[in-house]
């Protein structure tokens, strides 16, 4: 069906559903922050393609040169997220979205497509087993078992920046880097801030609000990254209090 999927554009972004599991009829600060972030990205070649329904079926990608991640490489697309949930899972929508991205890359003369992965599948990362079925391979690695997967059409490959590979910062306290790409971000930052305040934990929240800041990040990053004891810990966005407790307990010897 020609109208099975729809791409967000400057003409429809204000009215289209953003395919998130946040369900509300009222204005939601995280969703509107995401929408504002997207408005600025669309003229940079950012693509948000979704099922033409109010469901969680979408892919989001951008030219790697304009992607807010510490990855460098000429002429690649970077996939931020490919997500299919609920009753639509297992019906081939993920395959259709990936095939669209691959064809889009070829039509635009790209060298390939890349995405963040890890030695073991981690939460909030695109299913790398699924990506491997399309020919994605590991082309680089970084701290804490994170890996860069790529599907190359011409033998060229992207890579993490040298700084991102190290996964280290001078600041020893809990440090969180984030941007506003994900609708969950604002409520997640609020939850972590309140938790740290109640526990007496020092925390630095660093808003990555420009492409230059994103490219200069000291770790792998999709839209969120956590450091403690000066060491990179995770990109898991929904950092619940149990995980926070474990990170702090396991790294309290710095």
């Amino acid at each position: 069906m020609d109208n099975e999927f729809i791409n967000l554009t400057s003409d429809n972004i204000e009215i289209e559903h953003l395919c998130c599991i946040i369900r509300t009829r009222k204005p939601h600060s995280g969703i509107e922050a995401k929408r504002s972030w997207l408005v600025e990205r669309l003229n940079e070649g950012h693509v948000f393609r979704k099922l033409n329904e109010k469901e969680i079926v979408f892919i989001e990608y951008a030219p790697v040169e304009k992607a807010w991640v510490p990855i460098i490489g000429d002429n690649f697309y970077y996939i931020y997220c490919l997500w299919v949930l609920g009753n639509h899972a297992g019906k081939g929508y993920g395959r259709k979205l990936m095939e669209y991205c691959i064809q889009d890359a070829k039509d635009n003369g790209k060298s390939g497509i890349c995405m963040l992965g890890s030695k073991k599948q981690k939460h909030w990362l695109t299913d790398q087993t699924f990506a491997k079925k399309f020919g994605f391979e590991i082309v680089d690695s970084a701290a804490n078992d994170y890996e860069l997967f790529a599907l190359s059409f011409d033998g060229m490959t992207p890579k993490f920046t040298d700084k991102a590979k190290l996964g280290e910062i001078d600041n020893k306290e809990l440090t969180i880097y984030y941007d506003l790409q994900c609708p969950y971000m604002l409520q997640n930052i609020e939850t972590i801030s309140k938790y740290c305040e109640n526990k007496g934990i020092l925390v630095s929240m660093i808003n990555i609000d420009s492409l230059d800041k994103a490219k200069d990040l000291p770790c792998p990053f999709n839209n969120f990254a956590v450091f403690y004891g000066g060491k990179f810990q995770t990109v898991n966005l929904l950092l619940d209090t149990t995980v926070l407790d474990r990170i702090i307990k396991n790294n309290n010897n710095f």
Side-chain angles (χ1 to χ4, degrees):
M1 296 173 58
D2 292 340
N3 63 348
E4 185 176 26
F5 293 94
I6 186 172
N7 287 19
L8 295 187
T9 68
S10 57
D11 293 327
N12 65 18
I13 191 170
E14 296 299 333
I15 59 174
E16 284 294 335
H17 178 251
L18 292 186
C19 293
C20 184
I21 61 176
I22 295 174
R23 301 291 191 183
T24 177
R25 293 179 179 275
K26 299 178 181 179
H28 186 283
S29 59
I31 293 174
E32 295 315 309
K34 162 75 172 186
R35 201 183 305 274
S36 295
W37 188 90
L38 268 177
V39 167
E40 298 295 325
R41 307 283 78 77
L42 290 178
N43 62 4
E44 299 171 352
H46 191 106
V47 175
F48 190 110
R49 182 170 177 81
K50 70 187 194 74
L51 191 67
N52 195 10
E53 298 179 22
K54 291 186 176 181
E55 298 293 343
I56 309 158
V57 181
F58 71 97
I59 188 171
E60 189 170 359
Y61 60 92
V64 72
E65 297 89 344
K66 295 293 186 179
W68 286 32
V69 292
I71 294 169
I72 53 177
D74 293 332
N75 213 28
F76 271 75
Y77 278 149
Y78 175 81
I79 297 176
Y80 288 104
C81 190
L82 194 168
W83 208 3
V84 179
L85 287 185
N87 294 331
H88 291 81
K91 295 182 178 180
Y93 289 119
R95 175 181 54 80
K96 289 181 179 180
L97 288 168
M98 180 66 85
E99 288 174 347
Y100 177 89
C101 179
I102 292 171
Q103 191 60 52
D104 188 25
K106 290 179 176 179
D107 289 346
N108 284 286
K110 299 296 182 183
S111 292
I113 304 164
C114 59
M115 55 174 259
L116 183 62
S118 61
K119 287 187 177 180
K120 292 183 65 175
Q121 181 70 48
K122 296 181 183 289
H123 296 298
W124 295 90
L125 294 181
T126 298
D127 185 346
Q128 55 209 44
T129 299
F130 173 75
K132 288 176 181 177
K133 294 178 181 179
F134 292 86
F136 282 77
E137 298 177 336
I138 299 167
V139 296
D140 204 1
S141 59
N144 220 1
D145 292 338
Y146 283 89
E147 297 173 329
L148 182 62
F149 285 77
L151 171 63
S152 177
F153 306 144
D154 59 10
M156 300 296 290
T157 57
K159 63 180 181 179
F160 290 112
T161 64
D162 291 339
K163 188 174 182 179
K165 289 183 181 183
L166 293 176
E168 297 179 356
I169 59 175
D170 293 333
N171 191 5
K172 302 299 183 183
E173 69 189 30
L174 182 64
T175 303
I176 295 175
Y177 296 88
Y178 69 96
D179 66 29
L180 298 179
Q181 182 186 4
C182 180
Y184 278 106
M185 194 62 68
L186 290 180
Q187 68 183 50
N188 194 41
I189 292 299
E190 182 180 359
T191 298
I192 294 171
S193 297
K194 288 181 178 178
Y195 170 79
C196 290
E197 182 179 356
N198 292 335
K199 289 280 189 175
I201 299 170
L202 295 175
V203 59
S204 294
M205 300 285 193
I206 301 174
N207 183 8
I208 303 303
D209 57 5
S210 72
L211 177 64
D212 287 343
K213 289 181 181 179
K215 292 297 185 188
D216 194 46
L217 279 161
C219 62
F221 183 83
N222 221 25
N223 48 45
F224 186 80
V226 179
F227 280 78
Y228 189 69
K231 302 291 185 181
F232 172 55
Q233 302 294 327
T234 184
V235 298
N236 186 1
L237 174 60
L238 287 189
L239 190 66
D240 63 30
T241 56
T242 302
V243 177
L244 259 179
D245 282 338
R246 184 166 65 246
I247 288 173
I248 291 170
K249 181 180 180 181
N250 292 344
N251 294 274
N252 257 343
N253 295 320
F254 61 83

